[in-house]
Amino acid sequence: VPATLHTLIVLSAGLSLGMRGGLASMILYLVLGLVGLPVFASGEAGWRFAVGPTGGYLIGFVLAQPILGLARRNERPAVWHVLTAAIAAQGVIFLCGLSWLKLSVDTSWSQVLAIGFWPFVPVDVLLKTVAACGVGVLAGRSRGARRAAGL
């Protein structure tokens, strides 16, 4: 499983664009990759990559958007709402990704966790989640400021 900035973008999309915007952006991302644009990890594209061992993460990107959108229900979401949504979304992404990976490589769960989860905990779960939360909180503040200004 390659290390990328995809999860940072996925989390930031849902937290800043909301449920509909985040969902639309992830569907567009998948469609672009499926029709051949090299937007997937390592510049890959196409159906073969999407149904390969990392395809479950792509599904998780889409399924995480409604969870992330819940944090935007309030005009100025509390930091803990944003953080909770981001952690839950990471859980969905990893659940989908690891389950698909297990089916694809037909190995033990300990091996699946060793290649698809543990190496990513420090960066994905900690750093990217916190960075995306910052984006989500700032997006909420700017939305509130625009609304207060009548824009």
Side-chain angles (χ1 to χ4, degrees), residues 1 15-16 18 22 28 31 33 45 57 64-65 71 89 103 105 118 121 126 134 141:
V1 178
L15 292 172
S16 61
L28 178 62
V31 168
Y57 294 96
Q65 296 307 307
L103 292 172
V105 296
W118 295 119
V121 169
L126 302 176
R141 288 186 180 156

Side-chain angles (χ1 to χ4, degrees), residues 72-148:
R72 290 233 356 197
R73 291 180 60 188
N74 296 326
E75 191 165 306
R76 295 185 66 146
V79 173
W80 73 272
H81 285 140
V82 174
L83 182 60
T84 301
I87 291 170
Q90 283 278 28
V92 167
I93 293 167
F94 276 111
L95 179 65
C96 293
L98 294 170
S99 298
W100 190 284
L101 185 60
K102 170 80 169 96
L103 292 172
S104 297
V105 296
D106 192 32
T107 189
S108 69
W109 274 107
S110 62
Q111 183 63 22
V112 167
L113 292 171
I115 61 175
F117 180 71
W118 295 119
F120 303 97
V121 169
V123 175
D124 276 16
V125 178
L126 302 176
L127 293 177
K128 291 180 190 176
T129 300
V130 169
C133 288
V135 170
V137 169
L138 290 174
R141 288 186 180 156
S142 72
R143 186 174 55 255
R146 285 192 309 270
R147 191 163 284 160

Side-chain angles (χ1 to χ4, degrees), residues 19-81:
M19 189 179 310
R20 289 183 186 156
L23 191 57
S25 71
M26 289 305 109
I27 291 171
L28 178 62
Y29 164 71
L30 288 179
V31 168
L32 292 174
L34 291 173
V35 299
L37 290 175
V39 296
F40 297 144
S42 303
E44 295 288 336
W47 285 97
R48 197 177 78 201
F49 182 83
V51 297
T54 59
Y57 294 96
L58 299 175
I59 294 166
F61 292 171
V62 173
L63 296 178
Q65 296 307 307
I67 295 167
L68 294 163
L70 290 174
R72 290 233 356 197
R73 291 180 60 188
N74 296 326
E75 191 165 306
R76 295 185 66 146
V79 173
W80 73 272
H81 285 140

